[in-house]
Amino acid sequence: MQATLGAVLLTAPAALAAQRQWQWEAGLSGVGMRVHSISGPTVQELSGAAFGGQGQLVFANWITLDLGYWQGGLTPSAGQAASRGVVERDAQLGARPPGWVSLRFGPHAWTYVSNAGTQRWFLMEGRARVQGEVFPEIQSYLELWRVFSASVNVPQPFQTGMGGEGGISLRIRDVPLIPERFPVRIRLAYGIERVRMEGGPSSTVRAEILDRLSLSIGIEQR
């Protein structure tokens, strides 16, 4: 009996450590979006909102997988082109060494749907993020990224792309009906991304500028 109890006590820490190999967070978000579509001398300005969710899996405290999906609509300024439906999604694999820096790489896609047809932007991005604690339970972060390649169903070939996002988040531990080990996190962020396509057969330069203000709420397991 004593031997059995001893074996349980010895193996319990290892079992608990194995259970903590995976961490996660998931949330819902609303995004206010503004788009500038530039094609030669023509500039279309659209704005609207999208709603969806995002999540992150963390393995062994340093390998990360980020997933996100948002869907909504964009309305043009007066006298311009038709409204667009918009779908945005990403799936990125990364590394988060101990400390305040993390790196990610993977696809980020936009799809616009309108009476003129469907326009697809498929971007491969590399991202670097720094974050730190401002006050207890309050964190700020800054993320910068570069587009390494893009596949877009427009005549112009890809030239360059980059973006950035900054935000602040608050973690709340004492939430009714939610166990303390699953704290709630509220995040407010602003980001902007620009993708430029070089002149194609008609030497027309095309650019897409997308900026957003997002508010999200979710839970995490740490």
Side-chain angles (χ1 to χ4, degrees), residues 35-46 77 80-81 207 209:
V35 175
H36 288 75
S37 291
I38 303 169
S39 182
T42 303
V43 179
Q44 296 180 9
E45 297 183 2
L46 305 99
S77 300
Q80 294 195 353
I209 303 171

Side-chain angles (χ1 to χ4, degrees), residues 34-175:
R34 185 172 58 184
V35 175
H36 288 75
S37 291
I38 303 169
S39 182
T42 303
V43 179
Q44 296 180 9
E45 297 183 2
L46 305 99
S47 61
F51 301 91
Q54 65 284 326
Q56 183 184 69
L57 290 174
V58 183
F59 178 69
N61 204 38
W62 72 281
I63 299 174
T64 64
L65 175 63
D66 288 79
L67 302 171
Y69 180 92
W70 300 267
Q71 184 170 349
L74 298 172
T75 303
S77 300
Q80 294 195 353
S83 299
R84 300 179 184 177
V86 60
V87 176
E88 183 178 2
R89 51 208 180 276
D90 60 43
Q92 299 181 332
L93 186 65
R96 191 183 65 181
W100 45 274
V101 179
S102 61
L103 303 172
R104 291 189 285 148
F105 181 81
H108 177 198
W110 313 327
T111 301
Y112 297 134
V113 181
S114 68
N115 294 334
T118 300
Q119 189 179 116
R120 297 180 177 86
W121 295 68
F122 185 86
L123 317 176
M124 292 299 296
E125 298 175 346
R127 299 186 174 220
R129 177 183 181 123
V130 295
Q131 63 184 32
E133 191 171 73
V134 181
F135 298 105
E137 307 296 354
I138 299 178
Q139 284 191 338
S140 64
Y141 74 91
L142 175 65
E143 184 169 279
L144 301 175
W145 62 88
R146 187 170 185 84
V147 181
F148 292 101
S149 66
S151 174
V152 186
N153 59 338
V154 297
Q156 298 88 343
F158 168 73
Q159 184 187 34
T160 186
M162 62 188 65
E165 181 178 282
I168 190 166
S169 66
L170 169 66
R171 182 164 56 187
I172 306 172
R173 294 187 179 275
D174 298 322
V175 179

